[in-house]
Amino acid sequence: MKVFKAVICLAFTGVLIWASQTKFGDIPPLGDFLNPSTGFWQNAESKNIRASEKLKLSGLQDEVTVQFDDNRIPHIFAKNNHDLYYVQGYLTAQARLWQMDIQTRSAAGRLSEVVGPKALQLDRYHRRMGMTLGAEHTLAGIMKDPVMSKVIQAYSDGVNAYIKHLKPGGYPLEFKLLGYKPEEWKPINSAYLLKLMSETLAGGSNELGLTNVLNKYGAKITNDLFPDYPMHEDPVIPAGTKWDFKPLTIPQPPAAFKAQLMAAMQNKEKIEGIGSNNWAVSGSKTATGFPILANDPHLNLTFPSIWYQMQMVGPDANVYGVTLPGAPCVVIGYNQKVSWGVTNVDADVLDWYQVKFKDSTRTQYWYNNKWNKVERKIEKIKVRGQADVIDTVLYTHHGPVVYDNAAMQEKGRSNVPVGNALRWIAHDESDEFKTFYLLNRAGSYADYRKALTYYTAPAQNFVFASVDNDIAITPNGKLPLKYKDQGKFILDGSNTANNWQGWIPADQNPTVKNPTRGFVSSANQSSTDQTYPYYINWKFEGYERGKRINDRLGTMKKATVDSLRLLQMDDYSIRAQDILPTMLRYMDATKLDDYQLAALDSVKRWNKFFKASSVGASIFQNWWHKLYEFTWRDNFGSKDTVYYYPTMDRTEALLMKEPKSVWFDNKRTPAMETANDVVMASFTATVDELMRNYGKIGPDWAWGKVKSFEVAHLGNVPGLGSGKFESGGSGSTVNALIDGHGPSWRMVVQLGPQPQGYGILPGGQSGNPGSFYYDDMLKTWQQGRLNQLLYLHSATEKSPRIKTTLTISK
């Protein structure tokens, strides 16, 4: 018996040893992960930090001083620009190395190397849409610039200096979880980050769904349901602004402005609320007499944050703001004389072209009345634990054919038309970092305008304010010269008239400086009124956020930082203001039971604010979305074909002006329904659903409970996110907080003799879950408060907020 027990113990020990050295799916080898010398224990950090530290780095040219404040935000003081960007790279890698690595891998189509076949479809998509091609072209543009080539190289060298000194025990936790090690950082990695941002903000399309609508319903109905300008609008550039330039000749559309599809796919709805707000208020409307600028870009909210805070002081710059981990310069911020911020323009800079191949070999395609050679690019995708995947991408002069056939697309992106070539601005040569390099050093409106000329994509509304009391806003980027609605539908790739015919001159991009109303603003709505001579896009985000901002700023006098902070947190619903009275007018209370009457009474008494505690907000939001779905689903919902649904604005117009429209009729019933029927049906369905999920009407129906929110870990690792919490706001309110998206950085800057900035991240500076600084700013962000930003003027300036002084020498 003793021998038997001994054998069992030895066998069990052997299994444990084997298991501790073996990776099971997503679970790392436990022996490595639990190793006290190199495992996750090594990632724990103490909140108690040393007051002074010294470091030697061989790549420096001179001594650099870094002051870390109480939020672990570095303030870099360098004597030359090489060292400034070298240390920026080093410190960013120290705080966010895994984030930098995984985002670059995603853009480059290399996730499968570390996570296995589950990422293969995403890798294939990013390769096939030309992310690598775009990154290579962007890097070429950067390297042609004698200044930016040195900046990008110094930054990369700084990142590698950190990686070089990193031992396995110090690897970020996620490297240990996934069982791989950091690799050398290359300048092209920074270019990949720009492509990732372009994909997020200018990589979507609705041409497939719209072309299907056009083919099914014809031009008259399509034009009626999808107008080129919405019923409601309050554009970025104030309506009535005069254009002081002579526009270029607008290209003419070809006679046959329409294309047929080669395959059918499932729809993927665009999420409302992925946008941003920014504005600048003239000194004539502020308490100090100097401008105030505010910006809160709405993006995916993750731990770690998409942004990293930093102050950078060199021989010709003293700039504070947020940077993109993996890229040089401050992207949004301020210096001693100016401040700037950005929101997405949503310009139409991605078009699909139907390709006619000569035969099944796909070696030639028809264009400009002749057969042209198809270029082939071989993509080798390494897959962890499996053989490499070899993929061949076909390229026309327009760009890559993203999906060759429906089988390839089956598990890919649903809004990508099969057999079509992609023309995308992100493929072009560019040098966006030059814009931020110059803005970091700008001192005037002229400097701001010069900096914008270097910017390509994704197009952004650049808001600006200066100590000279200038304010301005410019929807800016490299915008293609198109005929009206070019790219609204899939284009015939054989016709030269469908090519982009050049570019809108940079100095003719819409802009306004010092308008009489005393402020400028944007919230992703239409860039201009209909008098602007060029076509930018047919559809932008809804006008509601922009309208609310303009209403508030228009009445504001003696504005302060705090009044603008409160505006960033504003959750009043212009949509409810516009449409709720009409919805209530169609309700017949005599047909409701007691529970429905209680819900109707609650929404009638609702003040139209999306507070976390509001029951009325929950009822209205769910009611509106059900009304929208009930109106369109029987005509535009299909399992076989993707159709683009009409906009929220068009739905409002239908409800308010055409209550007997045929679109309200439910084809599944013999009766002819009108707006009254749809409003009633959607309301009762809303109440039934809320009761099923939350019981009788009461506190559990509060908006914060119905719309619970979480800041998730970037890799969706359970336990490394914020956990769910209640919050206000909706996709169409200024505080656009919904579905994991929201204000990724809130900033308000008061300009004057001494600028003062305020800002907050939804998390912390560190990417290490074992650090106090991983989420130390989250509570402040949740409460809608801002931290006063520490803007230092010299390396020796004293402040009680400075906790560590790091001296770096060569």
Side-chain angles (χ1 to χ4, degrees), residues 47 165 172 196 237 260 263 321 326 382 449 523 559 584 634 674 732:
K47 181 183 175 182
H165 290 92
L196 201 61
I237 305 302
Q260 299 299 321
K382 296 181 179 180
R449 292 293 294 170
L584 292 173
D634 55 340
T674 65
S732 62

Side-chain angles (χ1 to χ4, degrees), residues 139-153:
L139 182 62
I142 293 170
M143 288 307 184
K144 286 178 182 178
D145 189 300
V147 173
M148 298 315 296
S149 58
K150 293 182 176 65
V151 167
I152 200 79
Q153 191 61 59

Side-chain angles (χ1 to χ4, degrees), residues 106-318:
S106 176
R110 296 182 54 214
L111 285 175
S112 298
E113 293 179 19
V114 296
V115 303
K118 68 171 68 177
L120 182 58
Q121 288 300 331
L122 180 60
D123 282 349
R124 174 176 279 167
Y125 173 70
H126 280 164
R127 302 280 187 108
R128 297 188 68 88
M129 76 181 298
M131 295 281 268
T132 297
L133 175 76
E136 289 170 348
H137 286 169
T138 291
L139 182 62
I142 293 170
M143 288 307 184
K144 286 178 182 178
D145 189 300
V147 173
M148 298 315 296
S149 58
K150 293 182 176 65
V151 167
I152 200 79
Q153 191 61 59
Y155 185 92
S156 298
D157 290 345
V159 174
N160 289 324
Y162 177 71
I163 294 174
K164 180 180 177 182
H165 290 92
L166 197 59
K167 293 183 170 50
Y171 288 173
L173 177 65
E174 293 88 349
F175 283 102
K176 298 173 183 178
L177 280 170
L178 293 170
Y180 76 108
K181 63 181 181 179
E183 63 182 18
E184 179 188 5
W185 186 267
K186 299 176 182 178
I188 196 171
N189 290 6
S190 297
Y192 271 121
L193 288 177
L194 290 174
K195 302 306 109 177
L196 201 61
M197 193 59 72
S198 278
E199 184 196 19
T200 300
L201 298 176
S205 64
N206 45 40
E207 287 96 317
L208 175 61
L210 274 173
T211 303
N212 268 346
V213 172
L214 182 63
N215 289 333
K216 180 177 180 179
Y217 292 109
K220 183 177 180 180
I221 289 177
T222 302
N223 290 333
D224 175 63
L225 291 182
F226 302 92
D228 290 331
Y229 206 78
M231 173 181 68
H232 296 301
E233 193 49 281
D234 199 335
V236 174
I237 305 302
T241 297
K242 303 300 181 185
W243 312 111
D244 58 350
F245 55 79
K246 183 179 179 181
L248 302 180
T249 302
I250 307 301
Q252 293 300 307
F257 176 36
K258 179 180 173 182
Q260 299 299 321
L261 299 181
M262 300 179 69
M265 287 148 281
Q266 295 297 312
N267 192 15
K268 184 177 181 181
E269 187 178 353
K270 183 180 177 182
I271 298 173
E272 181 183 49
I274 302 180
S276 311
N277 308 310
N278 64 17
W279 58 83
V281 180
S282 168
S284 63
K285 292 177 70 69
T286 69
T288 65
F290 287 96
I292 307 176
L293 181 141
N295 191 193
D296 55 307
H298 300 167
L299 296 163
N300 290 335
L301 301 186
T302 59
F303 285 168
S305 167
I306 192 172
W307 304 107
Y308 181 66
Q309 285 188 71
M310 184 175 282
Q311 183 179 4
M312 302 177 65
V313 185
D316 58 351
N318 184 350

